Amino acid sequence: MALKQKSGETAGEAKKRRLVGFAKTDEGVEANKCIKIFLVSSKDEVGAKDGFCIDPMDLNQFFGEDGKIYGYKDLMISIWLSSVSFYAYADISYASAVDGGKGITDLKLALQDIFGEALLEKIDFLQTFSTDSHCVRSIISAGTVLRCYSFNEDAESSDNLSGGSFIEHQVVRMELCSLPVGLLYSRLVPLTFLLIDGSSPIDVTDSKWDIYFVVKKIQSHTGDYDLRLLGFATVYRFYHHPDSTRLRLSQILVLPPYQGKGHGRRLLETVNSVAIAENVYDLTVEEPSEYLQYLRSCFDTLRLLDFEPIKPAINSVASSLRTDFVSKKSCKSLAGPPTHAIEIVRQKLKINKIQFLRCWDILIYLNLDSKDRKIMENFKASISTRVQSDIFDKDTKSKGKHLIEVPNDYDHDMTFVLYCSQSGEESDCLDGMLDGAQADQKQQLNKLVDKQLEDIVEIAEKVSSLRSS
């Protein structure tokens, strides 16, 4: 009879268990940690690890729910993206590929989901530097030049231009439904995936789409020239009842090597100029990033500072906030621009109401003494009044209605009930339930107001700097 261990296991079984090894589960590697993307302008730069490396938003999002790649040891993926033709090539290296329990990620398929048909084999990719060296010029030269500008080229010394070249920057508008333009945009889509949070491709067959390219025109002394693509913006034309159009800026991107040099601002200025020239209803921006909203607010505030029709309204509010005491009732009237100001700004500058409200606070702040503690307290009170009105609307439609958070058994972030009192009266029991909620709301309100004040001050300082430069 075989001897049993305490667990009921025989000695033979215990020995067998010790001899059997268990394979380690494949933990995978995050895409962000093993993929590098380089922007190159010549085939000599392909393979060089010291080239311009793009910092994408999040590569993990393209590789399953956990953002990991499985089945490879010592995996390294280098992607070379041409700034000439916008084709791409992926160099994939690894020590071994073994299924460690979670399969082997199909890297080619995953990368094609990002780059589509723009992803080429190495030999074909290298050939594009000669066969497609003028593809940007051949397509964009057919567009309408809306703006020309120039500035110190020392900031772009990486271009290594030969002496005697004439350089000019242009903003060019084209219809996206044009076949050559649509094909060029399809090769730019991967950049939107990589550099614009939450971006998705647009329907290039829809005739309501326009694309604005910012390009660098390099003309030699012989008259020959080339165009280099620095960035682009896509704009959609919406119908507005009864007989007008609204413009919506959908995507705007300046290529990383050219960011921070004013090209994005020129794109915004050009789109705004088109909105005014064509007398559309207004211009909106689709889900702007935090930085784009910052840039847009700076630009619009600069325009509004020189807009004479609203100056009396700004001066009136600023004068009231300079008084020693501002009542709660007065704060409400000072919390936003008058209706006529909102309308004339939309009509003349094509700035929509929501954007004007953001800029209004900055305009008021710029007309106040930021070092005067009492004035700043009054200003903060006016901001708080408007924010509270926006969040906790207490008009007659909601009178007697309250949202009360309640605990739940399902670990949801929030569960609530809507309580409606009879004849607009609140019961004693409801008062007790609301005390804690109101205290929390007040704390959250203060945090929100403080954050808005920080944003106002930051933009105001940038605007002041731009005006004085």
Side-chain angles (χ1 to χ4, degrees):
M1 180 181 291
L3 296 176
K4 292 281 187 180
Q5 305 295 319
K6 289 186 178 179
S7 61
E9 183 181 51
T10 67
E13 289 171 341
K15 182 178 180 181
K16 183 178 180 181
R17 176 176 55 80
R18 289 193 297 269
L19 293 175
V20 175
F22 292 91
K24 185 179 179 181
T25 303
D26 185 0
E27 296 180 354
V29 58
E30 289 188 12
N32 286 331
K33 295 181 178 179
C34 65
I35 299 178
K36 287 188 176 182
I37 304 175
F38 299 90
L39 198 62
V40 294
S41 58
S42 70
K43 63 180 181 180
D44 294 334
E45 298 175 19
V46 179
K49 300 298 183 179
D50 57 350
F52 188 93
C53 189
I54 294 176
D55 184 19
M57 295 295 297
D58 181 21
L59 290 169
N60 290 351
Q61 63 178 313
F62 302 106
F63 292 87
E65 294 183 358
D66 58 1
K68 290 186 175 183
I69 299 173
Y70 293 98
Y72 300 91
K73 181 181 179 182
D74 299 333
L75 175 66
M76 179 56 67
I77 303 174
S78 297
I79 299 173
W80 313 95
L81 181 61
S82 169
S83 61
V84 176
S85 64
F86 297 95
Y87 283 109
Y89 155 67
D91 179 26
I92 304 172
S93 63
Y94 50 88
S96 60
V98 178
D99 185 350
K102 292 191 175 183
I104 301 177
T105 301
D106 188 334
L107 295 175
K108 185 175 181 179
L109 181 62
L111 293 175
Q112 283 180 338
D113 284 343
I114 304 173
F115 294 95
E117 296 181 0
L119 187 66
L120 305 178
E121 296 296 332
K122 185 175 183 178
I123 187 171
D124 297 325
F125 176 69
L126 294 176
Q127 287 178 352
T128 63
F129 288 100
S130 55
T131 59
D132 292 76
S133 60
H134 298 295
C135 70
V136 171
R137 184 189 70 179
S138 64
I139 296 171
I140 297 180
S141 59
T144 303
V145 178
L146 300 179
R147 180 174 184 176
C148 299
Y149 63 95
S150 60
F151 49 75
N152 190 352
E153 283 300 321
D154 291 340
E156 297 180 74
S157 58
S158 61
D159 289 334
N160 296 321
L161 300 176
S162 59
S165 296
F166 170 75
I167 296 171
E168 180 181 65
H169 296 84
Q170 299 177 342
V171 179
V172 182
R173 181 175 65 179
M174 305 191 76
E175 294 182 353
L176 201 49
C177 62
S178 166
L179 181 59
V181 179
L183 290 174
L184 175 58
Y185 172 76
S186 69
R187 299 205 295 270
L188 296 173
V189 168
L191 282 168
T192 69
F193 287 156
L194 297 170
L195 300 172
I196 303 178
D197 189 23
S199 178
S200 58
I202 59 182
D203 182 6
V204 297
T205 64
D206 191 334
S207 61
K208 295 184 178 66
W209 281 107
D210 286 334
I211 187 166
Y212 295 69
F213 294 106
V214 57
V215 296
K216 182 176 183 177
K217 183 178 180 179
I218 308 167
Q219 186 168 339
S220 69
H221 63 279
T222 62
D224 190 23
Y225 74 93
D226 196 13
L227 296 179
R228 296 184 183 177
L229 181 58
L230 310 184
F232 65 93
T234 56
V235 178
Y236 193 76
R237 297 174 178 272
F238 282 93
Y239 166 73
H240 183 270
H241 180 79
D243 56 0
S244 186
T245 302
R246 307 182 79 172
L247 296 186
R248 175 176 291 177
L249 180 63
S250 177
Q251 299 168 331
I252 181 168
L253 176 65
V254 175
L255 301 187
Y258 308 105
Q259 291 177 2
K261 299 174 182 177
H263 300 300
R265 180 165 63 88
R266 262 79 174 197
L267 274 171
L268 279 176
E269 290 173 349
T270 304
V271 174
N272 274 277
S273 297
V274 169
I276 294 172
E278 298 184 358
N279 195 28
V280 300
Y281 183 80
D282 64 10
L283 171 66
T284 62
V285 179
E286 181 180 348
E287 299 182 1
S289 66
E290 186 175 336
Y291 179 71
L292 176 57
Q293 184 56 54
Y294 166 80
L295 185 67
R296 179 188 178 204
S297 295
C298 289
F299 169 61
D300 284 339
T301 301
L302 282 169
R303 299 165 66 203
L304 289 163
L305 280 171
D306 295 324
F307 190 55
E308 291 293 335
I310 65 171
K311 286 186 177 180
I314 294 172
N315 292 333
S316 176
V317 172
S319 178
S320 297
L321 291 173
R322 293 189 193 104
T323 61
D324 291 336
F325 175 74
V326 178
S327 66
K328 194 170 183 179
K329 184 177 181 180
S330 297
C331 275
K332 192 169 184 179
S333 64
L334 300 173
T339 304
H340 73 273
I342 295 173
E343 184 59 19
I344 197 169
V345 164
R346 182 198 63 76
Q347 289 178 353
K348 300 298 183 180
L349 300 182
K350 307 307 174 184
I351 299 175
N352 66 76
K353 179 180 178 180
I354 295 175
Q355 175 64 3
F356 181 39
L357 291 176
R358 294 190 186 102
C359 297
W360 178 258
D361 296 332
I362 305 164
L363 294 168
I364 300 300
Y365 179 85
L366 287 168
N367 280 269
L368 299 174
D369 182 0
S370 60
K371 297 180 181 179
D372 190 307
R373 183 179 61 83
K374 185 59 182 177
I375 293 176
M376 287 297 100
E377 286 178 357
N378 291 339
F379 179 62
K380 182 176 181 178
S382 68
I383 300 293
S384 179
T385 298
R386 192 192 65 247
V387 172
Q388 187 170 4
S389 177
D390 292 342
I391 299 177
F392 311 118
D393 189 6
K394 295 183 178 180
D395 60 10
T396 54
K397 293 182 180 180
S398 63
K399 188 175 182 180
K401 298 179 181 179
H402 302 275
L403 288 180
I404 307 172
E405 292 188 29
V406 297
N408 65 82
D409 297 326
Y410 302 98
D411 197 28
H412 292 164
D413 291 335
M414 182 180 72
T415 305
F416 62 86
V417 295
L418 176 64
Y419 179 90
C420 301
S421 58
Q422 297 296 322
S423 303
E425 297 178 354
E426 297 182 8
S427 67
D428 293 338
C429 65
L430 178 61
D431 287 338
M433 296 174 68
L434 290 174
D435 284 342
Q438 288 176 342
D440 183 61
Q441 288 175 350
K442 186 175 181 180
Q443 183 180 10
Q444 295 299 319
L445 173 65
N446 289 335
K447 289 183 179 180
L448 184 58
V449 171
D450 289 341
K451 179 62 171 65
Q452 288 205 11
L453 284 172
E454 290 177 8
D455 294 342
I456 290 168
V457 172
E458 182 182 8
I459 295 172
E461 290 177 349
K462 181 63 176 180
V463 169
S464 297
S465 173
L466 291 171
R467 282 177 70 84
S468 61
S469 61

